[in-house]
């Protein structure tokens, strides 16, 4: 049995370009689907957040509309309720990477607010990448990669191919023109190669030990790829 670290947002809002606060958090499916896959494979999950705050779920991610109907929304909500690890997260600042076999970052707009500028998270990501451990990041989770800055000022993920929530998807979801910045643009500016797939369709990219997914539909196939790397 391996221990898998879930690094999750502690932010319940995303600050838009006009200064208004958009309610958010983590996206439920992006935590639930990988959690269920890892637990079914017999692995242990440990949650960490900045400051050890309980990660807030984006209420929008529990709606029937966001989950393709009420039946699936109810299934996701039940899966979320079963994730008791969410109730007692570690302080991200205190995490020792040596304790874990793999690291996973779910998305939601929350990481755009806190993990994108969190130095402890950035160090953990750079260390996980260098260690060769399987590292999975999905949807808006790749915002956290922006904080993984090396001593020479470059990004630790520069030159890597990743999938992440795209400009087209952000615009289609209605927040692209209200955002301070767009994830695809920032990653590209940091030297990360964003592999853009069809909006809302699964798109998983593996580059060395890094496995990334574009959107919520990518979370389950990403988890399957991460499990392969765990062996």
């Amino acid at each position: 049995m391996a221990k898998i670290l879930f690094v999750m947002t502690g932010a319940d809002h995303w600050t838009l370009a006009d200064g208004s606060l958009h309610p958010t958090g983590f996206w439920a499916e992006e935590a639930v689907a990988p959690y269920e896959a890892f637990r079914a494979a017999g692995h242990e999950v440990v949650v960490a957040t900045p400051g050890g705050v309980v990660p807030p779920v984006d209420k929008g991610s529990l709606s029937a509309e966001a989950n393709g109907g009420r039946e699936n929304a109810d299934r996701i909500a039940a899966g979320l309720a079963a994730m008791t690890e969410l109730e007692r997260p570690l302080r991200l600042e205190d995490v020792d990477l040596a304790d874990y076999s793999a690291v996973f970052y779910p998305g939601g707009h929350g990481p755009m607010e806190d993990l994108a500028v969190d130095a402890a998270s950035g160090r953990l990501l750079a260390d996980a990448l260098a260690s060769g451990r399987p590292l999975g990041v999905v949807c808006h989770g790749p915002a956290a990669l922006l904080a993984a800055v090396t001593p020479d000022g470059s990004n630790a993920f520069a030159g890597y191919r990743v999938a992440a929530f795209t400009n087209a998807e952000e615009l289609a979801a209605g927040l692209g023109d209200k955002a301070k910045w767009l994830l695809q643009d920032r990653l590209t500016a940091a030297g990360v190669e964003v592999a853009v797939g069809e909006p809302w369709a699964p798109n998983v990219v593996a580059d060395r030990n890094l496995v990334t997914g574009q959107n919520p539909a990518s979370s389950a196939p990403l988890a399957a790829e991460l499990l392969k790397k765990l062996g």
Side-chain angles (χ1 to χ4, degrees):
M1 182 178 77
K3 282 174 74 172
I4 301 175
L5 179 69
F6 273 42
V7 179
M8 300 181 67
T9 182
D12 63 2
H13 66 273
W14 180 30
T15 306
L16 300 178
D18 65 0
S20 63
L21 305 184
H22 177 71
T24 188
F26 69 88
W27 198 259
E29 182 182 5
E30 295 166 19
V32 171
Y35 175 85
E36 291 178 342
F38 299 150
R39 294 291 292 146
H43 301 308
E44 179 185 352
V45 169
V46 177
V47 172
T49 63
V53 302
V54 173
V57 65
D58 186 321
K59 301 295 193 298
S61 70
L62 298 173
S63 69
E65 181 185 15
N67 290 285
R70 174 48 54 193
E71 183 179 350
N72 199 44
D74 289 345
R75 187 186 66 76
I76 292 291
L80 190 63
M83 289 182 66
T84 55
E85 294 86 351
L86 294 171
E87 300 163 12
R88 49 180 191 280
L90 302 178
R91 280 171 38 88
L92 180 56
E93 299 82 356
D94 299 335
V95 163
D96 184 349
L97 180 62
D99 294 338
Y100 303 95
S101 301
V103 178
F104 174 69
Y105 278 66
H109 281 114
M112 301 276 282
E113 185 75 20
D114 61 353
L115 297 179
V117 294
D118 189 285
S121 173
R123 285 192 297 272
L124 179 76
L125 281 165
D127 291 347
L129 190 69
S131 75
R133 284 174 175 75
L135 171 60
V137 195
V138 69
C139 200
H140 287 93
L145 307 187
L146 298 171
V149 180
T150 64
D152 69 4
S154 65
N155 190 282
F157 293 85
Y160 278 77
R161 290 184 75 247
V162 308
F165 204 67
T166 63
N167 290 357
E169 286 168 319
E170 203 73 84
L171 288 163
L175 288 171
D177 57 354
K178 300 174 183 175
K180 284 184 180 179
W181 50 273
L182 297 175
L183 180 56
Q184 180 184 332
D185 292 345
R186 276 285 176 90
L187 289 170
T188 301
V192 180
E193 183 185 342
V194 181
V196 177
E198 287 298 313
W200 317 118
N203 178 30
V204 175
V205 173
D207 187 346
R208 288 156 275 187
N209 58 314
L210 176 65
V211 184
T212 50
Q214 179 171 315
N215 45 36
S218 306
S219 55
L222 183 154
E225 192 66 31
L226 213 60
L227 284 170
K228 284 185 204 169
K229 289 189 176 294
L230 267 174

